[in-house]
Amino acid sequence: GIRCGSRVLAFRRPCGGYTMPGGKLEEDDQGIFACATREAREECGVSVPVDAWEVLATSVHAAAGRAYVLVLCATELEALPVDADAEGLGVEALDLFSAFPALSGNERLFEAMRERCRALAAAGHETAGAALAAPALRA
């Protein structure tokens, strides 16, 4: 998940539920954080260094007779880059504390992002409750 203040980048899926950017680990990826860096660039147009990620939560989602392990790699940006074409890519900046439907299996992941935001705010982290500093994205 890519968090900026109390907002997180997310996509609304055709079923109406939201999910954070992500994808599967590819053979060329040098680990889970390299995968997160690649997906952030591909899906959000945002460059995030491999060493800027941390594993924040996991979730298991069962569908079509398979079980998927979802790993939430999280990072925080001070602001979204001005040249990021987030709207053109279909990504939205959701307020973590507003009401929105999470895609099945993603509820725990969004809650982990909320918990991190609360913890940072309680610790006096200056951007934890800040509004998104970049140009407004679709909400």
Side-chain angles (χ1 to χ4, degrees):
I2 302 171
R3 192 176 56 76
C4 185
S6 64
R7 295 184 178 250
V8 64
L9 296 183
F11 294 96
R12 182 189 300 260
R13 297 299 183 200
C15 65
Y18 281 92
T19 184
M20 287 178 262
K24 69 177 190 170
L25 186 65
E26 294 183 1
E27 202 171 304
D28 294 345
D29 291 331
Q30 298 294 313
I32 194 77
F33 297 140
C35 176
T37 291
R38 178 180 51 74
E39 292 292 348
R41 185 178 56 257
E42 290 175 1
E43 295 191 5
C44 301
V46 176
S47 294
V48 177
V50 172
D51 63 355
W53 297 99
E54 65 176 316
V55 173
L56 196 55
T58 60
S59 178
V60 177
H61 177 66
R66 294 184 175 193
Y68 300 91
V69 176
L70 307 177
V71 179
L72 175 58
C73 295
T75 192
E76 179 181 8
L77 301 177
E78 293 291 324
L80 291 177
V82 177
D83 59 349
D85 184 20
E87 188 170 333
L89 294 169
V91 71
E92 301 178 35
L94 295 178
D95 184 332
L96 280 167
F97 299 101
S98 66
F100 59 85
L103 190 66
S104 180
N106 285 257
E107 300 89 351
R108 171 70 189 114
L109 305 180
F110 280 110
E111 184 54 35
M113 292 294 279
R114 285 185 200 97
E115 290 170 10
R116 172 52 55 94
C117 195
R118 284 186 196 106
L120 290 171
H125 193 272
E126 60 191 49
T127 63
L132 190 64
L137 301 177
R138 290 186 287 135

